[in-house]
Amino acid sequence: MRCLVLFLAVVVVGCVAQTCTTDTYPTTPTYPGVPTTTLAAANTPAVSAANPLTTGHWSETANLKAYRPTISYSPTYTRTSCPHVQSGLRNWHDATLWGGAVPANNSNVNIPANTAVLVSSCSVPATFIFGTVTIPVGSKLIFGDANINFSAKGFVVMGSLLAGSETCRLSKKVTITLVGKRTDQTFPAPAHVKGINVTGTLDLHGAKYSPTWTRLAMTAKVGDRYIFIQDKVNWQVGQRIVITTTELKDSRDFHRNEERNIAGIFLTSLGTTMTAIQLDIPLTYKHFGGKEYQAEVALMSRNVVIQGDGFSPPTDNTTSCTNTANPTDKSTFPCQNSYLTGFGAHIIVDGSTGKKPTARLSGVELYRVGQTNVLGRYPIHYHMLGDVADQAYKNHFVQDSAVRESYFRCYAIHGTSGVKLTENTAYNAIGHCYFLEDGVEENNTISFNQAAFVHPLGPFQNPSISANGDSWYSQYLSLYTNNSNLILPSDMAAGAFYITNAYNDIIGNAASGGWAGFAMPSLAYPVKLHYGKNTMSPKNRPFRTPFRGNSAHSTGYWWATAAGIYVGGELTQSSSGVLSYTSGRSATHDTCSDKLIGLPGQTAGCYDLPKQLWLRFEDNKVFLSNRGKQHWGERSEIIRFEIHDVGLSMNVFGSVWIDQMLMECRSLNHDITWFNGCPSAPTDGVVPSYSACNVRDHYYFSTFGGFQWYDVGQ
């Protein structure tokens, strides 16, 4: 009988049962360290006026280097509070824990009451896929610091799901795969379907890689196998990185982002704070890294992985469409009715039932995640927790983690205040990426994060093709309402960072792509689950601290007035629950110390001078955008703002204070693709012909403006 128990619990070779020996864990395991070998001189380019070197995140006007995270890594450190070595643990592979037989393939699993269960490297065959794993209150499921693959259709975490701790980061690779097909679901599906539904405690902590993103130190050219970055990093051979585009258009039908694996990593004679990275495949495109600005390079791999299965990616993946109403228009855009079937993994930290869950993530990779147009099914979602900073269960954070290939959002904060999102990366996401949902989310910290390749939803191309009454040159755009293919209409203007309430700390972030880099819509009142709870007018809230040290590029492409930093657009909700959004000029931000000003039934504007506040922007930078900053508002302070390669530096309304602004009409990045890849675009030396390409593709090449004093009353 004992042989039979082992046969059920572990791997069998022929008829011989293999026992599972619990892993051993060193107190001071080896963690990733910085490179020790210097790149050969033959592979090191010469620095010259034509090939300049930028170090220390230098920028001419915006002091970006002041808003970089502290670089922190240690190959060895003494770990404490490791859950996988605590006393009293029971082994998953111990059949007596389960009453005589370990959980079988395809079975639902209930962790025994008041029990802490340890998963080791040999506890579960890699081919097993469990149903729903339920962890009751008082129980724990703990992953050891070992190479583990664990697959399930979902988790219900009422107790604790643990892989490491804040002071005990795992050094081995733990991969949790969530399994399920969209076509098998009836919506709305329970929160644990292809997800981790947390009403208890979630602690996931992988190795620390620092910094998680950096910038090129010099231009990377077509065919290059080596790139040079501005920081000394502890990234490792085999990890995945992305080098962001330095073109204007950044869309599925035309983009120049490149993913590569690290084939080698070196010190370089060019500088002691820099790193040289050898790529597994030469670059296909140029990535600008001149003095004016530089492409970001982001690390996308981590050693603790939550991922969706192979059925996660969308099957409706037609990439490119044209304006069928005008056959002479050869420009392309993403097909609005494609990429709507993605069904990835997700994590929801759910406080909506009054429970007080906790979620802390560091060094976690979220891959093939998010469920397109499924409400609340985002890669990581803090849901209706209230003000966690003022409660006993505070200290919620996601740090130095990565979202890679998301089918709906990246990092979502909903009805929750006091969360910290810091030093995270994100690449290839549908809809708003860093996301504040209803307009009541305040006192959160969003710092030192990066996002790239962000995709709007819906008919966002309408202004450029004059559809539905929209016009490229108009300040006003049509209202659009939510539907099954666009459950939040503001996703038409998807931002890398979507800020519905300014009263947060937004510091040192980098946005590449999206309709806007930083989208700050006007909400006169909270929406969705907070509709009718009129405790504040979100559009009139000030920044908690100045909006500072942020950069945006390769954005603001889809409309003449779109911008890298866009303070505008309006989201409203009817009493029947219909959401309406316009990307264009609408209600303005009227920043005020009185939270109630601007709410329905209250004073419309902040007319009382002592209550008037200013939105303050410091040390920000925008490049490769139709506009640097567009601000439909009353009062703003703009200090040390740097803009390169835009159609217009700024268009701002109301009272504005500008101090130390640099605008460079066109930089030395001369190789922007003619007409943003329009198939009928001219080549160098050929007189441009505009008739075959849409205005959105040739607008940048014919529009050059400094600063616009729009109204004589300013």
Side-chain angles (χ1 to χ4, degrees), residues 501-503 537-544 567 588-595 597-598 604-617 631-637 655:
N501 186 315
Y503 201 73
S537 179
K539 72 182 180 68
N540 293 339
R541 298 291 285 143
F543 290 124
R544 186 169 182 262
V567 186
T588 61
H589 290 249
D590 194 0
T591 315
C592 197
S593 63
D594 187 339
K595 292 184 178 182
I597 295 295
C606 194
Y607 307 127
D608 189 354
L609 187 61
K611 294 181 179 179
Q612 292 180 355
L613 300 174
W614 295 62
L615 279 180
R616 186 176 177 93
F617 299 80
H631 188 124
W632 311 110
E634 294 297 332
R635 291 169 297 281
S636 60
E637 296 176 285
S655 301

Side-chain angles (χ1 to χ4, degrees), residues 437-582:
E437 192 155 354
D438 285 2
V440 300
E441 297 81 12
E442 296 193 337
N443 296 303
N444 299 289
T445 299
I446 303 172
S447 60
F448 315 128
N449 302 291
Q450 174 270 347
F453 205 30
V454 175
H455 311 291
L457 286 162
F460 52 89
Q461 74 283 354
N462 277 0
S464 62
I465 62 174
S466 300
N468 196 41
D470 287 337
S471 170
W472 180 257
Y473 295 101
S474 175
Q475 293 184 1
Y476 300 92
L477 297 177
S478 300
L479 278 173
Y480 292 83
T481 57
N482 57 304
N483 58 69
S484 60
N485 288 340
L486 185 68
I487 65 169
L488 181 64
S490 67
D491 276 318
M492 289 181 60
F497 295 82
Y498 177 73
I499 312 299
T500 55
N501 186 315
Y503 201 73
N504 294 280
D505 298 330
I506 306 164
I507 303 167
N509 304 286
S512 175
W515 191 94
F518 296 87
M520 304 178 196
S522 292
L523 279 69
Y525 47 83
V527 296
K528 299 172 71 175
L529 291 181
H530 291 87
Y531 178 76
K533 300 176 182 179
N534 292 335
T535 58
M536 68 179 75
S537 179
K539 72 182 180 68
N540 293 339
R541 298 291 285 143
F543 290 124
R544 186 169 182 262
T545 56
F547 180 93
R548 55 191 176 183
N550 301 292
S551 64
H553 69 91
S554 305
T555 186
Y557 160 82
W558 293 103
W559 179 41
T561 308
I565 300 172
Y566 187 73
V567 186
E570 183 179 22
L571 181 65
T572 60
Q573 182 174 334
S574 71
S575 58
S576 62
V578 176
L579 294 165
S580 299
Y581 179 75
T582 175

Side-chain angles (χ1 to χ4, degrees), residues 44-272:
T44 303
V47 177
S48 66
N51 190 37
L53 182 72
T54 301
T55 60
H57 299 274
W58 177 88
S59 200
E60 186 170 350
T61 298
N63 187 16
L64 297 185
K65 65 182 179 181
Y67 304 101
R68 290 288 296 165
T70 301
I71 296 178
S72 171
Y73 37 67
S74 175
T76 59
Y77 77 97
T78 301
R79 303 191 298 190
T80 60
S81 302
C82 295
H84 52 274
V85 297
Q86 65 184 255
S87 61
L89 298 181
R90 298 291 303 277
N91 291 311
W92 179 289
H93 51 271
D94 180 357
T96 63
L97 170 67
W98 309 100
V102 297
N105 189 24
N106 295 315
S107 65
N108 293 324
V109 179
N110 292 289
I111 302 301
N114 301 309
T115 304
V117 177
L118 175 67
V119 178
S120 299
S121 60
C122 57
S123 292
V124 177
T127 57
F128 273 29
I129 299 174
F130 297 108
T132 301
V133 178
T134 300
I135 308 169
V137 174
S139 293
K140 301 176 182 179
L141 180 61
I142 301 169
F143 287 86
D145 192 5
N147 295 323
I148 298 171
N149 290 285
F150 190 100
S151 298
K153 294 179 180 178
F155 289 81
V156 177
V157 182
M158 297 177 283
S160 299
L161 177 60
L162 311 175
S165 70
E166 290 182 70
T167 56
C168 181
R169 289 184 175 235
L170 300 189
S171 61
K172 303 297 184 179
K173 188 162 187 177
V174 173
T175 302
I176 297 174
T177 302
L178 291 152
V179 177
K181 296 180 181 179
R182 190 180 187 115
T183 53
D184 291 343
Q185 312 305 321
T186 299
F187 294 103
H192 66 269
V193 170
K194 205 169 185 178
I196 301 175
N197 181 22
V198 182
T199 56
T201 297
L202 179 69
D203 265 299
L204 304 174
H205 303 275
K208 184 173 180 62
Y209 296 97
S210 184
T212 54
W213 63 274
T214 181
R215 295 180 173 96
L216 288 177
M218 58 174 52
T219 296
K221 303 176 182 64
V222 175
D224 279 358
R225 285 291 297 267
Y226 294 90
I227 62 172
F228 298 84
I229 58 177
Q230 295 189 40
D231 291 294
K232 185 183 290 186
V233 299
N234 66 334
W235 305 352
Q236 300 296 297
V237 170
Q239 288 188 302
R240 193 77 165 166
I241 62 172
V242 61
I243 306 100
T244 64
T245 182
T246 48
E247 299 266 359
L248 170 60
K249 184 177 181 180
D250 186 45
S251 184
R252 286 193 196 96
D253 59 309
F254 177 88
H255 76 94
R256 296 295 184 257
N257 304 288
E258 298 194 72
E259 291 185 84
R260 294 291 186 271
N261 291 330
I262 298 175
I265 189 159
F266 306 91
L267 302 174
T268 172
S269 59
L270 295 174
T272 58

Side-chain angles (χ1 to χ4, degrees), residues 235-392:
W235 305 352
Q236 300 296 297
V237 170
Q239 288 188 302
R240 193 77 165 166
I241 62 172
V242 61
I243 306 100
T244 64
T245 182
T246 48
E247 299 266 359
L248 170 60
K249 184 177 181 180
D250 186 45
S251 184
R252 286 193 196 96
D253 59 309
F254 177 88
H255 76 94
R256 296 295 184 257
N257 304 288
E258 298 194 72
E259 291 185 84
R260 294 291 186 271
N261 291 330
I262 298 175
I265 189 159
F266 306 91
L267 302 174
T268 172
S269 59
L270 295 174
T272 58
T273 61
M274 296 171 50
T275 308
I277 295 177
Q278 182 182 2
L279 308 175
D280 61 333
I281 301 171
L283 290 173
T284 304
Y285 305 112
K286 172 187 171 182
H287 301 264
F288 188 70
K291 286 291 186 181
E292 300 92 331
Y293 54 82
Q294 308 88 35
E296 294 88 18
V297 181
L299 181 69
M300 303 312 300
S301 298
R302 306 292 189 272
N303 68 306
V304 173
V305 182
I306 308 295
Q307 65 179 12
D309 63 356
F311 294 108
S312 300
T315 54
D316 55 334
N317 51 13
T318 302
T319 299
S320 179
C321 284
T322 58
N323 181 15
T324 56
N326 181 8
T328 63
D329 182 353
K330 303 302 182 184
S331 290
T332 63
F333 55 84
C335 305
Q336 73 179 66
N337 293 318
S338 291
Y339 285 84
L340 299 176
T341 57
F343 192 68
H346 77 97
I347 300 171
I348 181 170
V349 187
D350 188 0
S352 63
T353 62
K355 296 179 180 178
K356 297 181 177 181
T358 299
R360 295 175 289 255
L361 281 70
S362 50
V364 177
E365 178 183 343
L366 301 166
Y367 173 51
R368 292 194 301 220
V369 283
Q371 299 173 4
T372 311
N373 280 317
V374 180
L375 186 64
R377 304 301 182 252
Y378 318 135
I380 174 68
H381 177 198
Y382 288 97
H383 179 69
M384 302 295 289
L385 273 66
D387 190 349
V388 299
D390 290 339
Q391 301 184 33

